[in-house]
Amino acid sequence: SYVLTQPPSVSVAPGQTARITCGGNNIGTKSVHWYQQKPGQAPVLVVYDDSDRPPGLPERLSGSNSGNTATLSINRVEAGDEADYYCQVWDVNDLHVFGSGTKVTVL
Amino acid sequence: EVQLLESGGGLVQPGGSLRLSCAAYGMTFGSYAMSWVRQAPGEGLEWVSDVSGSGDSTYYADSVKGRFTISRDNSKNILYLQMNSLRADDTAVYYCANLYFGTHAFDIWGQGTMVTVS
């Protein structure tokens, strides 16, 4: 089965850049999607197809994908960015696969 | 505004059944593949099932295959998940979501409905 590996937590100071990684075997050959989930709320799609943003999402969020690692970057981090972030890919065998999630804490 | 509203969750005994519904508003429902994704308490997201826009094609995670059935009524703009032979590890918040056009990304999510098997 295809496995996506995320760090359990990332801490970042306000105004700095948070980088959340998502590791998978040759993940660079797949399209990676990212979701933000705040406590008690449903997930929100923030990046799709590696680096595209849905309408209305801030440019501070960006994605990249190469080799065995995809990355979601949050520039100029704000208190409101504190949330869990999940990566997701589609695999021909397992269909939709989610990473285990990364909790972003704003210091 | 596109909106998805789930209902039908609740407390059920192991081995029991439950049917979840997801009503869609503000979208051309039949044009979208739809999905169910669940989240156990304190855990991450787990994909459950997909159905094509027409309803002709369905897909399931191994953990629910043979027990859950996804379906849709495009005349009523409603997505369903029939859950049979429920187990304790099916306890979760169940979300419905539509698949973003041309991708395998989950675009709009409902607020979720809680299913407790105990």
Side-chain angles (χ1 to χ4, degrees):
Chain A
S1 61
Y2 193 79
V3 176
L4 295 175
T5 301
Q6 296 184 238
S9 62
V10 166
S11 298
V12 60
Q16 299 302 303
T17 298
R19 293 182 178 84
I20 306 158
T21 58
C22 176
N25 187 34
N26 288 323
I27 195 173
T29 63
K30 301 180 182 296
S31 291
V32 181
H33 319 297
W34 291 91
Y35 304 87
Q36 176 194 70
Q37 186 180 33
K38 296 183 178 180
Q41 298 184 19
V44 174
L45 177 67
V46 293
V47 166
Y48 67 96
D49 287 352
D50 296 341
S51 59
D52 291 332
R53 277 183 306 275
L57 271 293
E59 293 184 9
R60 297 187 300 107
L61 278 73
S62 62
S64 63
N65 184 20
S66 179
N68 292 315
T69 304
T71 302
L72 176 70
S73 298
I74 310 173
N75 296 324
R76 301 184 300 282
V77 164
E78 304 170 354
D81 297 324
E82 199 161 89
D84 294 328
Y85 292 81
Y86 296 89
C87 58
Q88 177 242 326
V89 300
W90 187 84
D91 176 78
V92 65
N93 295 311
D94 298 320
L95 303 189
H96 301 283
V97 180
F98 284 99
S100 52
T102 298
K103 180 177 182 63
V104 170
T105 299
V106 181
L107 300 172
Chain B
E1 178 190 4
V2 176
Q3 198 171 14
L4 299 172
L5 290 176
E6 302 95 337
S7 60
L11 175 64
V12 61
Q13 293 183 342
S17 297
L18 213 54
R19 188 177 82 158
L20 306 183
S21 299
C22 169
Y25 302 91
M27 62 188 291
T28 309
F29 183 65
S31 297
Y32 290 90
M34 297 294 296
S35 305
W36 288 98
V37 177
R38 68 184 181 183
Q39 186 171 34
E43 300 295 325
L45 301 171
E46 179 189 16
W47 169 72
V48 173
S49 183
D50 280 359
V51 62
S52 62
S54 65
D56 290 345
S57 299
T58 57
Y59 309 87
Y60 299 94
D62 287 344
S63 58
V64 307
K65 200 172 293 183
R67 300 188 299 121
F68 290 11
T69 302
I70 191 171
S71 63
R72 62 192 299 160
D73 185 336
N74 286 347
S75 68
K76 296 181 179 178
N77 288 2
I78 300 179
L79 173 72
Y80 299 103
L81 185 68
Q82 177 66 44
M83 305 185 295
N84 299 331
S85 303
L86 282 161
R87 311 185 303 222
D89 61 359
D90 294 317
T91 295
V93 174
Y94 285 74
Y95 297 100
C96 63
N98 70 292
L99 286 168
Y100 206 47
F101 269 139
T103 78
H104 291 99
F106 302 103
D107 184 14
I108 304 299
W109 298 62
Q111 86 288 351
T113 188
M114 182 71 203
V115 172
T116 303
V117 184
S118 177

